[in-house]
Amino acid sequence: RLNCTLAGQNLYPAGFYENLFIMSNRFSDSLFQLVQSLEKSEKRNFKLYIKRSSGNEDLKIVRLFDALDKSKEYEEKALLKKLKDVTKPQLANLKTHLYKQILASLRLLKSADSLDLQLNEQFDYAHILYKKGLFIQSLRIIERAKEIAKANQKINILPQFIALEKRIENLH
């Protein structure tokens, strides 16, 4: 425990350290719950996604994923024993990276089924093109996406597209 006092007064409110511990456990629980919630096909897809993006078969992230998948409950000490070459500070970074990679994998897998995800992806593409100065290409994507959104009554995303469109048009 750090000594965080100034002139004998605690800098942090009572229970700060306990809440900090709970928050770190909460994230670990969230990661564990995410891994446990995955269907067999989603797990397979994640492993293919991660191996394809790295090219390395023996990744720490895959070993962490497997260890969490096989566990009945989240136990950090047991994880560190299973992952002998991973230190505690590395484990924290690895868990964060794993969480993000699982979500990225799920996004790719589920985007074909979700018009909302597809429209958000189109917005991301249009924004990237805008940032690269490819305004005409960005406007083409915006126009197509707006038509799809209108045709499918997805009016909640239209303001994003319109705002980006106005930003681009103001440059010309």
Side-chain angles (χ1 to χ4, degrees):
R1 187 177 225 193
L2 296 172
N3 182 10
C4 295
T5 59
L6 181 63
Q9 296 290 317
N10 262 341
L11 294 178
Y12 297 109
F16 174 79
Y17 292 103
E18 292 76 12
N19 287 337
L20 189 63
F21 176 74
I22 290 168
M23 284 170 44
S24 68
N25 271 353
R26 222 179 269 146
F27 176 76
S28 297
D29 288 344
S30 297
L31 173 61
F32 180 72
Q33 289 170 356
L34 177 61
V35 170
Q36 294 296 311
S37 75
L38 296 175
E39 298 168 7
K40 191 174 184 177
S41 62
E42 293 169 335
K43 291 175 185 179
R44 180 181 176 281
N45 184 70
F46 167 73
K47 286 186 177 185
L48 291 172
Y49 168 81
I50 208 72
K51 288 176 182 175
R52 188 173 45 238
S53 66
S54 76
N56 186 351
E57 291 292 317
D58 185 40
L59 288 171
K60 290 178 184 176
I61 194 169
V62 174
R63 291 185 7 247
L64 173 59
F65 177 83
D66 289 338
L68 288 169
D69 185 34
K70 291 173 184 164
S71 299
K72 298 289 183 218
E73 60 184 305
Y74 182 79
E75 179 66 44
E76 191 164 296
K77 288 179 184 175
L79 275 179
L80 287 168
K81 282 183 183 177
K82 288 179 186 177
L83 307 169
K84 292 178 179 33
D85 60 336
V86 175
T87 64
K88 192 170 181 163
Q90 284 177 320
L91 183 61
N93 291 333
L94 205 53
K95 288 187 296 189
T96 302
H97 184 59
L98 175 58
Y99 193 84
K100 289 177 182 176
Q101 292 301 312
I102 291 171
L103 291 177
S105 164
L106 287 171
R107 181 175 192 185
L108 284 174
L109 183 64
K110 303 293 183 185
S111 68
D113 302 335
S114 170
L115 184 58
D116 290 330
L117 285 176
Q118 290 171 18
L119 288 170
N120 281 314
E121 186 176 52
Q122 292 303 308
F123 178 80
D124 293 343
Y125 293 155
H127 193 261
I128 289 167
L129 293 169
Y130 161 73
K131 289 289 192 181
K132 295 201 60 60
L134 301 170
F135 305 125
I136 302 301
Q137 291 179 37
S138 180
L139 286 171
R140 278 192 212 127
I141 289 175
I142 290 169
E143 197 55 43
R144 276 191 307 241
K146 281 175 33 184
E147 288 172 16
I148 292 168
K150 287 175 188 173
N152 292 282
Q153 288 92 32
K154 299 291 184 182
I155 58 171
N156 292 342
I157 197 163
L158 285 175
Q160 282 181 281
F161 283 111
I162 293 168
L164 182 56
E165 185 177 43
K166 286 185 191 263
R167 250 190 288 165
I168 293 169
E169 289 171 351
N170 286 339
L171 294 173
H172 291 320

